[in-house]
Amino acid sequence: MQTLIINIKELLQVRDNPIDKVSGAEMAILPKIDNAFLLIEDNLIADFGSMANCPTIKADQTIDATGKTVLPTWCDSHTHIVYAGNRIQEFVDRINGLSYEEIANRGGGILNSAKKLNETNEEDIYNQSKVRLEEIMQQGTGAVEIKSGYGLTVDGELKMLRVIRKLAANYPIKIKATFLGAHAFPTEYKENHAAYIDLIINEMLPKISEGKLADYIDTFLETGYFSVQETEKIMEAGKKYGLIPKIHVNQFTAINGIKACVKYEALSVDHLEIVTDEDIEDLKGSKTMPVALPSCSYFISIPYTPARKMMAAGLPLALATDYNPGTTPSGNMNFVVATACIKMKMTPEEAINAATINGAYAMGISQTHGSITKGKSANIIITKPLTTYYEMAYSFTSNLIETVFIEGKAI
Ligand SMILES: [Zn+2]
């Protein structure tokens, strides 16, 4: 099956030689071809280039993209889209002035989601979650990482990870699963952290490993949640099962968590609303991708990740949604890219690099996703006619996507 897309006004993120990520000043460069063609064969990108070199073949399907932009689909490396119910009441409580802490004391927050998840059967959770997965695919996401972390019991965590695996089996979108048993301490372990960490290490991890249910391991490393020391213990245990860390860190406080994550060769450190000079030094020269989640900053009115400062220090940066029921009930990567430009002062080139190739790196798939490169998965967005691709950030609430291809097929 061949699909030939012709007369593309702007073909973005073209990389002849495969790269795994872009860092620092390189992030400002988004290679593109004007008046281009793109050839898809089965599920892969077979060829691309200027229209002057367009092959004269009779493809099974030819799409005229006059006036339109084509770019790789978004790689959303941080989500929690498997959950039960919602937290709409907490949203309204917050509007009425209740603090995060007061909401938590009323049984809200992560423990509220955990209660709902444990009361809901697996099929129901799957059916609720697949609606969100289908929605983000329509919004241009072609690869997504999904975390557990609303079970906080052996059964609940396994149930969530099985749902993630089932979604991966039933949908063409690339899905990576992360075990986040260390999302919060269940009420019965509030005074006995060691016992819950033992449960994670001795009961959850062996079962998850046996069922091959997770690719990565995560912890909410934060004041009042998991300490640096507790996180190190969990990263160490995960390592024995081949689970590489991707860690929630520096959302509200900076407590030298990033140093520990780098020491354990975390694939990514995510949130980073509060970043110190020392954190930046720790990240320099490491293989760890910093990940910013601007929709979360927007929704709960907390600072945005200091992208300019981090890129000026030569660091890479990825963008993801953090789609979850409490602090970011949105999986729209177009909004993330626009918000990164509007609020974090990233240029459209930097934001698109961060949401494609660097997002792919942050979930370990940059060899197959995140750029227009021969042999990579044919995951592309075709936009509606645009003045320039800058419009994708400028017209920040318009739906500018016309068609999304995942694994070579229009969805
Ligand atoms: Zn998160």
Side-chain angles (χ1 to χ4, degrees):
M1 173 78 183
Q2 284 183 324
T3 302
L4 181 64
I5 307 170
I6 57 169
N7 301 325
I8 301 166
K9 185 176 180 183
E10 296 174 299
L11 178 63
L12 305 184
Q13 189 61 303
V14 291
R15 305 278 179 177
D16 290 321
N17 300 312
I19 50 161
D20 61 352
K21 62 174 189 286
V22 282
S23 307
E26 285 178 348
M27 287 190 66
I29 301 160
L30 184 69
K32 68 164 182 148
I33 301 172
D34 292 336
N35 194 23
F37 79 91
L38 176 72
L39 178 65
I40 295 170
E41 268 176 24
D42 299 324
N43 62 329
L44 299 176
I45 295 169
D47 201 5
F48 61 88
S50 159
M51 273 308 286
N53 300 319
C54 186
T56 47
I57 52 162
K58 184 98 190 73
D60 301 289
Q61 182 187 18
T62 300
I63 297 169
D64 186 348
T66 298
K68 298 168 187 176
T69 296
V70 172
L71 71 160
T73 51
W74 309 123
C75 296
D76 188 354
S77 65
H78 182 135
T79 82
H80 309 250
I81 67 172
V82 169
Y83 58 82
N86 59 55
R87 302 214 319 249
I88 288 175
Q89 188 54 48
E90 290 176 25
F91 168 64
V92 177
D93 289 345
R94 252 198 327 270
I95 294 169
N96 286 321
L98 261 66
S99 70
Y100 197 82
E101 204 178 2
E102 285 166 320
I103 290 168
N105 290 340
R106 283 184 166 194
I110 294 165
L111 297 182
N112 184 4
S113 288
K115 185 170 179 290
K116 290 192 168 96
L117 186 118
N118 283 298
E119 289 168 356
T120 308
N121 72 46
E122 198 163 324
E123 199 184 335
D124 253 11
I125 297 166
Y126 175 83
N127 287 330
Q128 292 182 36
S129 304
K130 76 174 189 185
V131 175
R132 293 185 275 272
L133 188 70
E134 288 169 8
E135 183 192 24
I136 66 167
M137 288 164 66
Q138 296 291 346
Q139 291 169 338
T141 296
V144 65
E145 180 258 19
I146 309 174
K147 301 172 193 296
S148 69
Y150 295 125
L152 308 181
T153 58
V154 178
D155 288 349
E157 288 297 308
L158 290 170
K159 184 162 77 173
M160 285 188 78
L161 290 166
R162 283 195 303 268
V163 168
I164 298 171
R165 278 289 179 254
K166 193 172 162 191
L167 290 168
N170 292 348
Y171 286 88
I173 182 172
K174 181 79 178 171
I175 296 178
K176 289 284 188 177
T178 299
F179 168 52
L180 176 57
H183 200 186
F185 287 99
T187 312
E188 59 272 37
Y189 294 99
K190 267 271 173 290
E191 306 305 322
N192 191 358
H193 285 192
Y196 185 61
I197 291 167
D198 282 349
L199 186 76
I200 289 174
I201 294 174
N202 300 325
E203 306 241 3
M204 295 181 189
L205 268 174
K207 291 197 169 87
I208 288 162
S209 169
E210 196 191 312
K212 295 191 167 57
L213 290 171
D215 304 295
Y216 302 109
I217 189 162
D218 194 351
T219 297
F220 189 14
L221 199 180
E222 184 57 63
T223 304
Y225 288 83
F226 290 79
S227 70
V228 173
Q229 208 188 7
E230 288 164 346
T231 301
E232 285 191 334
K233 207 172 167 194
I234 291 164
M235 289 193 288
E236 184 73 47
K239 212 169 159 184
K240 293 197 182 99
Y241 296 100
L243 299 181
I244 300 164
K246 279 171 65 66
I247 305 291
H248 283 74
V249 66
N250 287 47
Q251 182 177 3
F252 302 109
T253 58
I255 52 172
N256 282 322
I258 289 176
K259 193 189 289 297
C261 297
V262 168
K263 187 171 102 188
Y264 280 85
E265 296 180 317
L267 180 62
S268 70
V269 284
D270 302 35
H271 268 295
L272 316 176
E273 287 84 347
I274 308 295
V275 179
T276 66
D277 292 346
E278 198 183 338
D279 291 326
I280 288 176
E281 284 307 310
D282 290 335
L283 282 164
K284 278 187 190 169
S286 77
K287 289 183 175 162
T288 303
M289 175 65 70
V291 180
L293 309 167
S295 304
C296 177
S297 298
Y298 175 84
F299 192 73
I300 61 169
S301 303
I302 60 174
Y304 289 86
T305 301
R308 291 249 62 90
K309 190 176 172 185
M310 295 170 74
M311 291 187 298
L315 297 180
L317 189 68
L319 289 166
T321 63
D322 198 20
Y323 197 169
N324 77 79
T327 60
T328 324
S330 162
N332 192 332
M333 282 294 285
N334 307 287
F335 178 79
V336 165
V337 167
T339 305
C341 294
I342 297 162
K343 293 292 185 183
M344 295 160 67
K345 305 295 176 204
M346 293 176 78
T347 64
E349 290 81 4
E350 289 164 342
I352 292 171
N353 272 319
T356 55
I357 189 69
N358 283 2
Y361 180 93
M363 57 179 130
I365 58 167
S366 48
Q367 295 307 305
T368 50
H369 292 75
S371 65
I372 302 294
T373 302
K374 283 182 200 174
K376 280 199 176 184
S377 285
N379 282 15
I380 58 155
I381 293 169
I382 304 177
T383 69
K384 293 171 184 168
L386 302 181
T387 320
T388 135
Y389 65 91
Y390 291 166
E391 213 173 319
M392 297 181 78
Y394 170 79
S395 299
F396 71 101
T397 60
S398 301
N399 176 13
L400 300 175
I401 294 179
E402 188 171 87
T403 316
V404 178
F405 275 76
I406 295 181
E407 294 289 322
K409 287 200 184 80
I411 54 137

